[in-house]
């Protein structure tokens, strides 16, 4: 087991094996929180900035505690302070401006920003969020950050000659933010690059971005890359060259049809396997999730396995999201116990360095 993973093993962990449990990031916001946001945005309501700040703090504490109650080894605050994964960061980066919402699917709109000048680091993005969450729990806290390729790809580029040059400049800004997070105590950073799933031929650009992101980041800091569902055969095995510790992949949604993609060559990084479907508002049974976890053991040995939902859970009913997490943790502990007892024949080869 890598040191970047073993540092998150709880001191009172009861099984010899350890399959780290976490979430990708987003989580359903409480209904009262959405109402508080409406009041804050209503100029006629008696709900000022201090009230809104208190509501965000309360929601962050509540969801962090919900993750703890579900039993997760590594928690987040459900991204309670974030509105959308690109808007939130673009609003904090010099060089971006907003022109109004763009329809993306159904009745959903995205306030797609434009890059109108050279991007620059202005204010911290996530340090206060991380510090608040870390103070609210004794569990390790993971920090998800939208990656530079997605920040570039999902924006109108009106300032750079090439989109990749914009992505590289943004990667330098992400590196600056991560160094501030590390100084604040963060030890688990996840880079979200959903745009890679729709433009897999740009994997070399993402790789260069990641090289810039991890520059001067201590080796003790665990870094991961989350890529949403797509044709993984178009980015594998090239992604194994990316300078991250783990890959978080959405496979439950596709009923693990792409599992064979990762068998040749052997998966040399840690695998954060999606074992519950974030797109289905039905709670998988513990037995079903155990079956899904065992599929991960066809790709990597237990020391390299992490489990999480497929993707962010924000579109699910909150009670469904919680039960998916709780069942996932129970299933992971059951699989660990079965591994301890020699009841599971692990098919995946161990790394040569082991």
């Amino acid at each position: 087991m890598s040191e970047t993973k073993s540092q998150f093993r709880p001191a009172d962990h009861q099984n010899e094996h350890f399959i780290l449990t976490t979430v990708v990031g987003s989580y359903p916001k409480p209904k009262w929180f959405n109402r508080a946001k409406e009041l804050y945005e209503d100029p006629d309501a008696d709900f000022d900035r201090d009230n809104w700040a208190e509501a965000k703090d309360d929601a962050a504490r509540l969801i962090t505690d919900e993750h703890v109650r579900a039993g997760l080894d590594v928690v987040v605050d459900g991204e309670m302070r974030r509105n959308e994964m690109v808007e939130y960061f673009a609003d904090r980066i010099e060089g971006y401006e907003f022109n109004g919402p763009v329809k993306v699917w159904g009745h959903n709109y995205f306030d797609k920003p434009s890059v109108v000048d050279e991007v620059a680091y202005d204010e911290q993005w996530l340090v206060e969020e991380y510090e608040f969450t870390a103070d609210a729990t004794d569990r390790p806290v993971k920090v998800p950050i939208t990656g530079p390729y997605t920040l570039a790809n999902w924006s109108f580029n009106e300032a750079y000659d090439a989109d990749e040059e914009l992505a590289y400049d943004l990667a330098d800004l992400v590196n600056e933010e991560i160094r501030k997070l590390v100084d604040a105590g963060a030890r688990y950073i996840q880079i979200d690059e959903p745009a890679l799933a729709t433009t897999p031929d740009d994997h070399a650009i993402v790789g260069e971005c990641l090289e810039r992101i991890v520059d001067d980041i201590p080796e003790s800091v665990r870094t991961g890359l989350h890529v949403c569902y797509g044709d993984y055969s178009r980015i594998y095995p090239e992604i194994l060259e990316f300078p991250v510790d783990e890959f978080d992949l959405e496979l439950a949604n596709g009923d693990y049809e792409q599992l064979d993609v990762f068998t040749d060559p052997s998966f040399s990084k840690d695998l954060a396997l999606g074992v519950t479907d974030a797109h289905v508002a039905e709670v998988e049974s513990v037995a079903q999730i155990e079956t899904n976890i065992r599929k991960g053991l066809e790709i990597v040995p237990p020391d390299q396995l992490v489990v999480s939902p497929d993707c962010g859970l924000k579109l699910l009913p909150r009670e469904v999201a919680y039960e998916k997490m709780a069942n996932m943790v129970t299933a992971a502990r059951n699989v660990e116990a079965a591994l301890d007892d020699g009841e599971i024949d692990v098919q995946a080869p161990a790394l040569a360095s082991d």
Side-chain angles (χ1 to χ4, degrees):
M1 184 186 303
S2 67
E3 291 184 5
T4 64
K5 180 186 174 186
S6 62
Q7 67 183 306
F8 301 111
R9 179 188 176 103
D12 60 351
H13 193 69
Q14 295 182 350
N15 297 322
E16 180 181 348
H17 283 86
F18 174 52
I19 298 173
L20 189 154
T21 60
T22 187
V23 286
V24 172
S26 69
Y27 195 79
K29 291 180 169 65
K31 293 183 176 63
W32 60 261
F33 182 75
N34 292 328
R35 176 58 180 150
K37 185 175 186 291
E38 292 173 359
L39 288 172
Y40 177 63
E41 294 174 346
D42 183 353
D44 297 323
D46 183 18
F47 200 87
D48 61 17
R49 184 182 297 272
D50 289 342
N51 293 131
W52 178 228
E54 183 177 347
K56 289 187 285 187
D57 286 351
D58 288 346
R61 287 192 194 95
L62 178 67
I63 300 308
T64 300
D65 181 64
E66 202 153 297
H67 288 177
V68 171
R69 287 191 292 112
L72 295 175
D73 299 306
V74 177
V75 304
V76 300
D77 74 347
E79 300 180 0
M80 290 295 106
R81 304 176 193 277
R82 310 186 197 183
N83 51 350
E84 196 275 339
M85 67 182 305
V86 172
E87 288 179 41
Y88 180 87
F89 293 95
D91 192 42
R92 289 159 175 77
I93 299 173
E94 285 189 3
Y96 275 91
E97 69 175 28
F98 292 91
N99 302 302
V102 175
K103 190 173 184 178
V104 286
W105 74 89
H107 298 287
N108 295 283
Y109 287 82
F110 159 49
D111 198 356
K112 187 172 181 176
S114 297
V115 178
V116 297
D117 201 353
E118 185 173 324
V119 294
Y121 191 91
D122 183 16
E123 57 180 298
Q124 63 84 20
W125 308 342
L126 301 170
V127 174
E128 290 180 1
E129 173 189 292
Y130 166 76
E131 290 177 333
F132 184 92
T133 308
D135 286 343
T137 180
D138 58 0
R139 299 285 173 92
V141 174
K142 178 168 72 173
V143 183
I145 301 179
T146 302
Y149 179 74
T150 296
L151 288 172
N153 190 265
W154 288 3
S155 304
F156 296 113
N157 176 14
E158 301 174 8
Y160 286 76
D161 292 335
D163 288 349
E164 57 262 38
E165 295 305 318
L166 169 59
Y168 297 154
D169 277 3
L170 287 166
D172 292 338
L173 305 190
V174 173
N175 169 265
E176 186 169 352
E177 174 68 9
I178 290 177
R179 285 190 279 115
K180 292 181 186 296
L181 284 162
V182 170
D183 289 343
R187 291 296 179 270
Y188 199 156
I189 307 293
Q190 174 185 289
I191 307 299
D192 295 328
E193 289 288 13
L196 180 57
T198 57
T199 51
D201 292 337
D202 282 351
H203 58 76
I205 297 173
V206 174
E208 172 61 25
C209 285
L210 290 168
E211 292 285 354
R212 292 169 179 251
I213 286 171
V214 302
D215 185 43
D216 287 334
I217 303 301
E219 292 184 1
S220 60
V221 175
R222 183 173 181 83
T223 55
L225 178 71
H226 172 65
V227 182
C228 297
Y229 186 80
D231 185 355
Y232 293 131
S233 68
R234 294 178 64 182
I235 60 175
Y236 190 85
E238 287 81 2
I239 61 172
L240 294 178
E241 300 300 318
F242 289 177
V244 295
D245 298 300
E246 73 173 23
F247 291 103
D248 189 297
L249 303 176
E250 183 176 329
L251 289 170
N253 179 249
D255 198 26
Y256 300 95
E257 291 180 354
Q258 297 193 67
L259 206 63
D260 289 347
V261 169
F262 306 104
T263 60
D264 187 19
S266 298
F267 205 93
S268 58
K269 304 282 188 172
D270 286 358
L271 171 64
L273 179 71
V275 294
T276 67
D277 191 342
H279 307 282
V280 176
E282 298 176 2
V283 180
E284 296 91 342
S285 68
V286 171
Q288 179 59 59
I289 299 175
E290 287 181 28
T291 298
N292 295 347
I293 293 173
R294 290 180 183 228
K295 290 182 183 296
L297 296 173
E298 298 175 22
I299 304 302
V300 294
D303 285 353
Q304 291 172 239
L305 186 61
V306 175
V307 296
S308 68
D310 256 350
C311 200
L313 300 172
K314 66 180 181 180
L315 298 180
L316 294 174
R318 188 169 146 210
E319 64 275 11
V320 171
Y322 177 80
E323 290 299 330
K324 281 177 179 280
M325 292 191 306
N327 283 4
M328 181 184 75
V329 172
T330 300
R333 303 293 89 102
N334 289 349
V335 172
E336 290 171 351
L339 286 165
D340 288 355
D341 293 339
E343 297 174 0
I344 298 178
D345 180 20
V346 178
Q347 302 176 33
L351 288 177
S353 59
D354 291 344

